[in-house]
Amino acid sequence: MIPNRADFHGVFPYLVSPTDAEGKISTNVLGRLCDDLIGAGVHGLTPLGSTGEFAYLGRDQRKVVVRATIEAARGRVPVVAGVASTSTADAVAQAKSYQKFGADGILAILEAYFPLKDAQIESYFRAIADAVDIPVVIYTNPQFQRSDLTLDVVARLAEHPRIRYIKDASTNTGRLLSIINRCGGELQVFAASAHIPAAVMLIGGVGWMAGPACVVPRQSVRLYDLCKAHRWDEAMALQGRLWRLNEAFARYNLAACIKAGLSIQGYEVGDPLAPQAALNADERKVIETLLQDVG
């Protein structure tokens, strides 16, 4: 067992949700991936993040993914399970069930069809945090979310005793610094693949939750270690090489890229879930070449 599974920091890969030809979750593939990522030194695992295609999975499939991840982790690293819904009641039910499965934390994601005001957005995240006894990471991604969290909402949520982290997937690093300045004593910041992780670590971030870490886990852990050691020249040299992967992922569907990369590395994760499309041969070659270049 690790010393404190409620202390989240470092590299948390957003896991893919492997499927077979019939669309069933390939728990054996997911288990192998989790074991290999832990062996590579990652600090935690996040099932049902964006790369996990949570928006394309049914309720039972989500449960299978979370259970399989927790079983594969075997307490070696914390598992922070993604909870996402347009319904507060459904999100609360997900969070409660994942805690019962043994999740160490919840990544709370708001889906929205109709626009919501700040009070409703805040109440959604508070309801999730009120429903569990484990730490909650609030997630914000203005590129995909219809209703984003303002800095004022973030600051108020930071006062909740179980809302201890935020994973921000905006491309605005200044926003991260604003969050750290306003909530640094109460809310720790995780970056996403949309940010430059080394830059986020420099301004006070505690790590990153991102899909690309699935395909370059050792390099990602090395980058984190260099940042923690304040060896910034070496960190930025490594960051420069890794950033080429992020640039490619930004051009294509992220889940398709990560699944293609894992397939190239020998994991039978399947194609992205419909209606998403897999990478074509030329796009797949781009990913393969980049993975070879970064080692």
Side-chain angles (χ1 to χ4, degrees), residues 235-269:
M236 286 309 301
L238 177 56
Q239 179 71 92
R241 295 198 302 274
L242 294 178
W243 192 247
R244 294 167 59 200
L245 274 174
N246 290 81
E247 290 175 330
F249 294 157
R251 296 206 308 267
Y252 312 124
N253 174 284
L254 181 59
C257 284
I258 304 301
K259 281 191 164 179
L262 288 170
S263 175
I264 291 165
Q265 294 174 339
Y267 298 92
E268 296 181 4
V269 294

Side-chain angles (χ1 to χ4, degrees), residues 6-161:
D7 175 23
F8 305 156
H9 64 273
V11 179
F12 279 64
Y14 266 8
L15 301 172
V16 297
S17 298
T19 54
D20 62 20
E22 285 73 44
K24 294 182 179 179
I25 302 297
S26 301
T27 56
N28 59 329
V29 177
L30 180 56
R32 177 189 161 210
L33 175 61
C34 291
D35 202 51
D36 289 348
L37 290 171
I38 293 171
V42 303
H43 305 86
L45 299 171
T46 304
L48 302 183
S50 303
T51 310
E53 303 176 275
F54 66 82
Y56 303 91
L57 295 171
R59 180 180 299 179
D60 289 342
Q61 289 176 306
R62 294 185 187 190
K63 289 181 178 180
V64 170
V65 168
V66 173
R67 280 186 184 274
T69 303
I70 292 168
E71 290 172 2
R74 301 198 308 276
R76 292 174 291 173
V77 298
V79 174
V80 178
V83 164
S85 184
T86 55
S87 159
T88 299
D90 179 53
V92 165
Q94 290 180 47
K96 287 181 176 180
S97 65
Y98 299 162
Q99 179 176 347
K100 287 181 180 178
F101 294 166
D104 301 289
I106 296 296
L107 175 72
I109 305 162
L110 172 63
E111 296 188 288
Y113 184 79
F114 295 113
L116 299 172
K117 296 183 182 297
D118 281 0
Q120 285 74 55
I121 295 170
E122 183 177 344
S123 69
Y124 174 88
F125 289 99
R126 283 190 179 277
I128 293 171
D130 287 342
V132 296
D133 301 315
I134 51 180
V136 172
V137 184
I138 55 176
Y139 174 92
T140 174
N141 189 340
Q143 299 178 81
F144 299 113
Q145 291 174 318
R146 186 176 178 87
S147 298
D148 193 26
L149 286 79
T150 65
L151 289 175
D152 287 341
V153 169
V154 170
R156 289 195 295 271
L157 289 173
E159 297 173 357
H160 194 288

